[in-house]
Amino acid sequence: MKKVLFIAYNSPSGSIWINEAFRSAFGMYGEDVEPAVMLVKDAVLVLRSTCKPELLGCLSLTILDRYLDKYNTTVYALKEDVEHFNIKQEEIDKRWKILQFVSKDDFPNFLHSFDRVVIF
């Protein structure tokens, strides 16, 4: 089984790339692929429970609610980016049940543990 990592780095507001990263990952189930999603830079803002891009007229993140539980997709976030935006553990939305943090020091080896990496 091949491992594919989808990385989103754009802000959830004004961008559809986070949804696209997850939509692509969810579409991989059924194939011989183990998808995962990583949030870096501004994309870590989606972790906050108060993140509601639909209030700005942007694409809703409701697709995540439907499929994260169904597929148990592993979600990674770059630890330093989460700290940069001062996102505290209690502010992280409960939808992110399988959330793991990766540090910048471990990032190169982490990337090489996947067969393919797709950046959105």
Side-chain angles (χ1 to χ4, degrees), residues 47 49 90 92-97:
L47 296 174
S49 60
E90 60 271 11
I92 295 176
D93 197 309
K94 300 203 182 325
R95 76 174 71 167
W96 308 107
K97 293 175 186 166

Side-chain angles (χ1 to χ4, degrees), residues 1-9 17-18 20-29 32-40 43 72-78 96 98-103 106-120:
M1 181 175 286
K2 291 192 176 204
K3 292 175 61 178
V4 178
L5 179 66
F6 297 93
I7 298 177
Y9 64 91
W17 296 115
I18 291 175
E20 286 300 310
F22 279 99
R23 190 178 65 83
S24 298
F26 296 149
M28 292 287 165
Y29 291 104
D32 193 25
V33 174
E34 179 185 335
V37 175
M38 180 160 200
L39 305 168
V40 300
N72 290 320
T73 304
T74 303
V75 179
Y76 300 96
L78 196 62
W96 308 107
I98 308 176
L99 176 64
Q100 299 179 28
F101 296 99
V102 176
S103 71
D106 297 333
F107 194 56
N109 289 335
F110 173 76
L111 286 181
H112 285 98
S113 70
F114 290 87
D115 298 301
R116 301 271 191 266
V117 176
V118 180
I119 300 174
F120 286 85

